[in-house]
Amino acid sequence: MNAQGTETPLDRTASAQHQAVRTSTAPKNGLATAAMILGISGLATSVVFIGGPLAVVGLILGIAALMTARRTGTGRGKAVTALVTSSLAIVLSALVAVLVVWYANKTQACYRPDSFHQYTQCVREHLN
């Protein structure tokens, strides 16, 4: 400000920079971000058994992030997303594991074929 009480362009620039610094240092919930990434990754990879352990870690971090969000007020949406995606990934991984065990049990006699054609024929017989 100058002597007359009006703001100069230099003061506006300094004020804008101060505002930018103040908004960029707002509290962030890193746990919520990590939990959300693990939950989404777990959901995407749950059909290949990697997703289950990722989702368990994501669920634990999501619970911690939700407790942190209640205290700080930031990251609640990410924490809830982490909880939902991690839960879905755990359920999907368990379902895939059950289906793989069922298939292996049902086609156990077919594991020593002489050719792939014999294997597929044996599997068709055991599944029908």
Side-chain angles (χ1 to χ4, degrees):
M1 291 226 188
N2 61 15
Q4 297 169 347
T6 59
E7 192 172 325
T8 62
L10 182 61
D11 288 338
R12 282 190 216 137
T13 305
S15 173
Q17 288 173 347
H18 179 69
Q19 181 68 22
V21 168
R22 191 171 37 170
T23 58
S24 67
T25 60
K28 293 184 169 76
N29 193 341
L31 278 176
T33 303
M36 184 180 71
I37 289 170
L38 284 171
I40 292 170
S41 300
L43 188 58
T45 60
S46 60
V47 295
V48 291
F49 300 116
I50 298 170
L54 287 177
V56 170
V57 174
L59 187 66
I60 293 167
L61 288 179
I63 292 169
L66 194 58
M67 293 183 340
T68 302
R70 285 185 185 154
R71 194 169 21 97
T72 63
T74 60
R76 186 177 190 288
K78 288 181 181 180
V80 170
T81 301
L83 292 175
V84 170
T85 56
S86 294
S87 299
L88 287 173
I90 290 169
V91 169
L92 189 59
S93 292
L95 181 63
V96 167
V98 167
L99 288 175
V100 166
V101 169
W102 173 83
Y103 177 82
N105 188 35
K106 198 80 164 157
T107 61
Q108 188 173 5
C110 303
Y111 290 145
R112 296 180 193 240
D114 293 332
S115 70
F116 184 71
H117 178 69
Q118 286 179 341
Y119 172 75
T120 56
Q121 185 179 2
C122 180
V123 168
R124 284 189 190 126
E125 290 171 6
H126 280 83
L127 291 179
N128 289 333

